[in-house]
Amino acid sequence: MRETPLSNCERDFLLKGIQEKKRLDGRQTYDYRNIKISFGTDYGCCTVTLGKTRVLAQVSCELVPPKDSRPTEGIMFFNLELSPMASPGFQSNRQSELLVTLNRQLERCLRNSRCIDTESLCVISGEKVWQIRVDVHVLNHDGNLMDAASVAAISALCHFKRPEVAIQGRDVTVFSPEERDPVPLSVYHMPICVSFAFFQQGSYLLVDPCEKEELVMDGLLVLAMNKHREICSIQSSGGIMLLKDQVLRCSKIASVKVSEITELITKALENDRRARKEGGKFGFAESIAKERITVLTREEAPLDTTDIQATADGIISKADAPPEVVPSPVIVATGTGQVGEGLENTWGLEEDDEEEEMADVTERKTKEDEVMVLSDSEEEEVVILNQDGRSKRSQR
Amino acid sequence: MELDINSPVLREFGSEQSLLSKPDGSATFMQGDTSVMVGVYGPAEVKVNKEIYDRATLEVLIQPKSGMPSVRERTREQCVRETCEAALLSTLHPRSSLTLVLQVVHDDGSLLACCLNAACMVLMDAGLPMSRLFCGVTCAIDAEGQIITDPTAQQEKESRALLTFAIDSKEHNVMMSSTKGSFSMKEMQQCIAVSQKASERIFQFYRDSVKRRYSKIL
């Protein structure tokens, strides 16, 4: 399915609005849309909604051999996916230009800024390290995917806990969460991307562009920054010329936005930690707004099972030719199953026949050896087996 | 043979519809901690090679939480697609495409059942014509032969057999079944009977949610 294109009227309308400092959703130039961060029941699972844009991030880990060049460092792997749910223009498992740019930007923002202590992920130097995999799924595309993805990824990384390991000589024991408490990753700082859209060759600037604004923009500047006002990555795309002042002004705006977002993430993490500690309810099921008209929930309740026995018996008795004995299934070991009683294998017999035949053929061949020349041709083989054919052949 | 049903329960369940702005219909369905989000696009234009001249082409995609979709997702996709095809009146939209995208948000058992329920909610939200509604119920038979409805991931792991049924709302018949492990005929009939009972509650939930959406009072 194709993306809905933007008409010329819409384009003109949007640009005119931007010139008059008006935005489609009533925001001011430097306003962010509402950000909501919620965590799942799993460690390292997080959804972020930025206005109508929605992303889901999941962190997972596994033990792998390290890279030869860095034997004492864990591996960080980022994978951003544009699910076809997010927009009709996205196709699953196809590398689009947008996907590559977003993935690259996410890597630059989170891996190259060294915000995660990768050395603490080493288990045995040169043999086993933790690979931390971050999957970011875009669920709904309403512009500014980069900011939403970076917030989701860093929140999920802060929320994630990996299993505790013990090393005895060369043996590595991985403990389940029940045996030993899992350990969080050591996060040095939280880089967050802030996007700026430029219009009319850089004369107008908007923070956090929505999808329609992204379609009419001339250039995009993505700044990744942490709350200590350190720039982690900076990327300008769209081929616009920016003045030094413009970039500096953007970095000033970004520093304000980043400190706000960082505070939001810390608060969300704190809330989740408290809910888990107090044994209260947590997870996505708790984070949906129950007062909405489109939301409905039902409490856990037992089922009435009074006449189930009768129904089941009724159906079985009515069934055609019920088997006289219903053998209870035999389980050799957990996870195995068996179909039928196991009859004699008839496959072997056929094979034997074939072998006999083959032997026959070779015998006959040896007999005829003086008369004819053996060849690989199929036709000739048939001739050998067929008596009439053989006589004809000898006549020839 | 005595029936060993230790008062089966359905975990608390809930849903939200129309939560995404882009798709034509969207819903999320939660059963206990298991949660699935779905978006549907369509009826829309279809690729020529997938075009069917007398009905709509239905495509179902299941995205796992981490990693790439594997064979397990493919089988689930097929189960969901075939159930939806049976319920949808796709002849009303010939030469068009319907795309159903399911995102697993959390798996804590009964995932296929949750996918089916979410799929039905999303088709209702998108307002696609259907001849009947459907719902999914998972039953697990544990080592002692007890039937557990709506099992958690832990219960699934400990079970001897796992049966998932799609039940239709008209006659409460079985539309699809997916089973794993070994069980007797009697046990299967009991599971179907339990699922039919459980389906009534889910259909009542569908009815209530539609009523709530289109009423003016909360």
Side-chain angles (χ1 to χ4, degrees):
Chain A
M1 226 172 108
R2 247 174 281 154
E3 189 84 48
T4 328
L6 200 68
S7 66
N8 286 343
C9 305
E10 280 178 289
R11 185 179 295 272
D12 295 343
F13 174 75
L14 279 163
L15 286 172
K16 196 144 184 260
I18 290 161
Q19 276 173 23
E20 291 169 13
K21 303 236 176 277
K22 285 188 178 101
R23 291 176 82 168
L24 213 55
D25 42 11
R27 279 185 288 159
Q28 294 295 310
T29 320
Y30 301 141
D31 283 356
Y32 246 93
R33 287 170 287 179
N34 275 336
I35 303 179
K36 191 181 155 203
I37 303 165
S38 47
F39 295 101
T41 30
D42 264 353
Y43 281 123
C45 183
C46 166
T47 49
V48 170
T49 53
L50 174 65
K52 283 174 186 163
T53 298
R54 189 190 282 248
V55 292
L56 168 78
Q58 171 69 52
V59 182
S60 49
C61 65
E62 65 175 324
L63 282 170
V64 291
K67 286 179 186 159
D68 293 336
S69 53
R70 296 180 189 277
T72 59
E73 281 185 23
I75 302 168
M76 301 290 297
F77 181 77
F78 295 92
N79 177 40
L80 188 137
E81 241 172 278
L82 297 174
S83 159
M85 197 198 299
S87 173
F90 297 159
Q91 280 172 3
S92 62
N93 52 54
R94 218 194 82 206
Q95 291 277 320
S96 65
E97 204 182 320
L98 177 69
L99 182 64
V100 176
T101 5
L102 287 174
N103 256 318
R104 186 79 198 101
Q105 180 66 25
L106 191 68
E107 263 182 21
R108 270 154 52 99
C109 168
L110 292 169
R111 188 202 284 153
N112 299 5
S113 69
R114 312 205 134 266
C115 60
I116 307 287
D117 179 13
T118 44
E119 289 197 353
S120 70
L121 296 172
C122 176
V123 180
I124 300 174
S125 170
E127 277 189 23
K128 271 197 169 63
V129 294
W130 284 108
Q131 185 191 48
I132 306 292
R133 182 192 169 102
V134 185
D135 283 277
V136 182
H137 299 272
V138 179
L139 303 177
N140 197 39
H141 176 28
D142 191 33
N144 208 359
L145 292 179
M146 196 55 240
D147 294 16
S150 82
V151 172
I154 195 70
S155 311
L157 281 167
C158 292
H159 188 248
F160 182 67
K161 289 186 179 179
R162 65 170 170 86
E164 173 80 288
V165 286
I167 311 153
Q168 280 185 322
R170 295 232 157 251
D171 296 335
V172 180
T173 325
V174 181
F175 294 103
S176 67
E178 290 83 34
E179 290 171 320
R180 277 197 203 175
D181 284 342
V183 275
L185 302 174
S186 50
V187 182
Y188 291 136
H189 59 95
M190 300 206 280
I192 288 156
C193 290
V194 180
S195 302
F196 299 90
F198 290 92
F199 303 86
Q200 314 261 310
Q201 304 312 310
S203 41
Y204 297 99
L205 171 151
L206 290 182
V207 177
D208 182 22
C210 71
E211 199 211 1
K212 289 245 159 67
E213 288 164 346
E214 276 186 353
L215 286 173
V216 298
M217 73 186 171
D218 288 333
L220 184 75
L221 181 78
V222 184
L223 268 166
M225 203 187 249
N226 62 21
K227 68 171 179 189
H228 312 297
R229 300 173 60 124
E230 292 164 333
I231 291 175
C232 301
S233 90
I234 185 162
Q235 178 161 322
S236 156
S237 54
I240 46 152
M241 314 293 176
L242 292 175
L243 295 169
K244 197 172 80 185
D245 289 1
Q246 281 177 309
V247 180
L248 280 174
R249 195 171 57 171
C250 286
S251 72
K252 266 183 202 141
I253 300 164
S255 73
V256 177
K257 296 295 168 200
V258 164
S259 59
E260 280 173 18
I261 297 169
T262 312
E263 200 171 314
L264 202 72
I265 297 174
T266 351
K267 217 177 269 172
L269 281 165
E270 187 53 47
N271 282 342
D272 183 74
R273 202 172 301 140
R274 203 183 312 125
R276 279 169 197 266
K277 207 173 167 188
E278 287 168 3
K281 285 182 178 172
F282 51 87
F284 293 130
E286 292 312 301
S287 65
I288 60 166
K290 295 234 168 64
E291 64 279 2
R292 249 186 234 165
I293 204 160
T294 50
V295 177
L296 188 66
T297 52
R298 283 283 172 269
E299 291 302 306
E300 176 174 318
L303 283 169
D304 174 35
T305 55
T306 39
D307 51 348
I308 278 170
Q309 172 86 60
T311 334
D313 286 344
I315 291 168
I316 291 170
S317 62
K318 263 186 248 162
D320 304 332
E324 281 170 13
V325 205
V326 181
S328 72
V330 183
I331 295 163
V332 187
T334 45
T336 59
Q338 188 184 327
V339 178
E341 296 288 289
L343 292 167
E344 206 177 329
N345 191 355
T346 52
W347 286 27
L349 291 173
E350 278 171 28
E351 271 173 31
D352 285 350
D353 281 357
E354 253 176 36
E355 270 172 36
E356 272 172 38
E357 262 178 30
M358 288 294 278
D360 240 311
V361 171
T362 41
E363 253 178 47
R364 270 187 237 166
K365 272 180 189 168
T366 41
K367 274 181 204 164
E368 298 275 327
D369 236 345
E370 315 89 63
V371 193
M372 51 170 280
V373 185
L374 272 176
S375 107
D376 285 338
S377 159
E378 212 176 23
E379 204 187 337
E380 297 237 48
E381 296 240 24
V382 175
V383 169
I384 298 162
L385 288 174
N386 194 336
Q387 287 294 328
D388 299 9
R390 203 165 54 181
S391 51
K392 267 183 209 164
R393 217 196 134 78
S394 44
Q395 278 166 17
R396 231 187 275 164
Chain B
M1 205 163 108
E2 258 310 294
L3 182 65
D4 289 325
I5 299 174
N6 192 9
S7 69
V9 289
L10 284 180
R11 289 178 284 177
E12 57 173 85
F13 60 99
S15 85
E16 181 173 1
Q17 285 179 308
S18 299
L19 69 162
L20 304 177
S21 67
K22 270 266 162 167
D24 297 320
S26 57
T28 167
F29 201 89
M30 283 162 279
Q31 289 176 220
D33 284 333
T34 307
S35 172
V36 173
M37 193 182 278
V38 212
V40 65
Y41 286 97
E45 101 185 280
V46 66
K47 274 191 203 145
V48 184
N49 59 348
K50 284 181 186 165
E51 188 182 278
I52 306 174
Y53 69 93
D54 62 347
R55 61 195 159 94
T57 310
L58 180 69
E59 229 182 313
V60 176
L61 295 164
I62 296 185
Q63 310 270 343
K65 208 173 173 193
S66 53
M68 289 286 151
S70 62
V71 180
R72 214 165 24 154
E73 275 73 33
R74 292 272 175 274
T75 50
R76 285 200 189 110
E77 277 171 16
Q78 196 185 354
C79 290
V80 175
R81 191 182 62 239
E82 279 165 6
T83 313
C84 291
E85 271 172 354
L88 279 167
L89 295 169
S90 55
T91 42
L92 295 179
H93 300 286
R95 295 183 181 189
S96 52
S97 81
L98 296 174
T99 316
L100 212 65
V101 190
L102 294 100
Q103 170 72 52
V104 178
V105 179
H106 189 85
D107 180 9
D108 188 28
S110 321
L111 187 63
L112 182 57
C114 194
C115 286
L116 286 163
N117 293 332
C120 188
M121 287 301 270
V122 85
L123 294 177
M124 282 200 280
D125 184 50
L128 290 165
M130 285 193 276
S131 61
R132 61 199 65 207
L133 299 178
F134 57 88
C135 74
V137 183
T138 300
C139 296
I141 305 173
D142 69 6
E144 283 94 58
Q146 287 195 337
I147 297 173
I148 305 164
T149 51
D150 198 11
T152 61
Q154 187 61 33
Q155 286 168 330
E156 276 190 4
K157 213 184 274 173
E158 289 163 0
S159 69
R160 155 158 71 87
L162 203 64
L163 303 94
T164 303
F165 301 104
I167 313 273
D168 86 296
S169 63
K170 261 188 186 165
E171 281 124 18
H172 296 276
N173 284 338
V174 177
M175 292 174 84
M176 188 277 300
S177 83
S178 162
T179 66
K180 205 176 103 183
S182 55
F183 45 84
S184 68
M185 199 169 102
K186 192 178 171 75
E187 280 172 328
M188 186 172 125
Q189 289 298 349
Q190 284 172 351
C191 284
I192 293 176
V194 172
S195 303
Q196 284 168 335
K197 268 270 183 276
S199 73
E200 280 167 26
R201 183 164 299 152
I202 298 170
F203 291 132
Q204 189 54 47
F205 172 81
Y206 288 166
R207 226 166 278 137
D208 291 348
S209 77
V210 171
K211 209 190 217 169
R212 185 180 157 99
R213 263 190 85 172
Y214 296 106
S215 66
K216 284 178 184 162
I217 338 136
L218 272 178

